[in-house]
Amino acid sequence: MLLTELDGFLTGLVVCPEAISPDEWMTIVWGADAAGVPPFEDPLDVQWFAKAVASRRDEIVRDLARGKLQPILDVDERDGEVLWEYWIDGFAEAVALRPAAWQALADDPGNMAAWSRMTTLIAIARNESDLDSMELDAREDHAAAELIEVVQLLYGARPRLGGIAPVAAEKGAAAKVGRNDPCVCGSGKKFKHCCS
């Protein structure tokens, strides 16, 4: 996976209404062979890679919980155009892992509009859209901003649907964190310099 595609994939995993085990999705990320063996010779490389991917996933969770998703998007060096299509491809690959869970989210009346917007973006990225060329150009011009907005809406729908709770609930918000205590996100930084 390209970095931007990986970022979309990890975001799709985080937003998915049903939890997906890293054992299942990590083999997709590193392109393991049929036996599930990672393409690394050194076990330390496997550990490093897995930690790096987990770290980015945790960062996405924190960003979504704050309402400030910051996707990694490539930019075309020739014209400065944001290449959001690769990110959406990664997101769509995560959706394909649990289609029934996503369908349940899409069937909820409160999510139909957001899911429709996401499926339209996926169709545009795959050149499968029914939009005319003017509508297509207008959507593509604002696609990066729209995908951030739509992902935030879908992430917010998860607790309402009985899905995975947001980060604050997962971390056990009952205990108060002091400003100089280690951050609850696991970054190793003081709380006041990280998630406060």
Side-chain angles (χ1 to χ4, degrees), residues 6 12 21 23 55 92 96 102 108 112 118-119 145 159 175 178-179 187 192:
L6 171 63
S21 165
D23 293 339
S55 176
W102 286 98
D108 181 90
M112 285 182 182
M118 178 57 78
T119 56
R179 291 177 36 81
S187 67
K192 67 182 178 184

Side-chain angles (χ1 to χ4, degrees), residues 58-182:
D58 293 346
E59 186 176 5
I60 292 166
V61 169
R62 287 190 303 273
D63 289 349
L64 283 166
R66 293 179 194 149
K68 298 180 180 183
L69 179 65
Q70 299 177 28
I72 298 172
L73 301 171
D74 288 334
V75 177
D76 189 330
E77 294 176 4
R78 294 171 288 163
D79 58 11
E81 182 181 342
V82 176
L83 303 174
W84 59 274
E85 295 91 340
Y86 296 116
W87 192 96
I88 285 286
D89 283 341
F91 191 93
E93 197 164 340
V95 169
L97 291 175
R98 292 293 187 276
W102 286 98
Q103 189 59 52
L105 182 138
D107 290 343
D108 181 90
N111 302 318
M112 285 182 182
W115 184 247
S116 175
R117 290 170 65 191
M118 178 57 78
T119 56
T120 298
L121 288 172
I122 291 170
I124 291 169
R126 294 179 171 174
N127 293 321
E128 298 170 352
S129 175
D130 295 336
L131 299 175
D132 65 43
S133 61
M134 289 182 62
E135 291 174 313
L136 202 56
D137 288 343
R139 289 296 287 271
E140 285 181 334
D141 289 344
H142 305 287
E146 185 175 4
L147 74 83
I148 292 170
E149 180 184 341
V150 171
V151 167
Q152 282 292 162
L153 290 170
L154 295 172
Y155 179 76
R158 295 165 64 242
R160 189 165 42 86
L161 294 174
I164 304 164
V167 170
E170 290 175 358
K171 295 292 183 183
K176 185 170 176 163
V177 179
R179 291 177 36 81
N180 290 318
D181 291 340

Side-chain angles (χ1 to χ4, degrees), residues 33-70:
D33 62 17
V37 178
F40 302 105
E41 293 179 19
D42 188 344
L44 292 176
D45 290 340
V46 175
Q47 290 176 350
W48 176 87
F49 185 81
K51 284 181 183 179
V53 170
S55 176
R56 177 59 188 153
R57 182 183 179 276
D58 293 346
E59 186 176 5
I60 292 166
V61 169
R62 287 190 303 273
D63 289 349
L64 283 166
R66 293 179 194 149
K68 298 180 180 183
L69 179 65
Q70 299 177 28

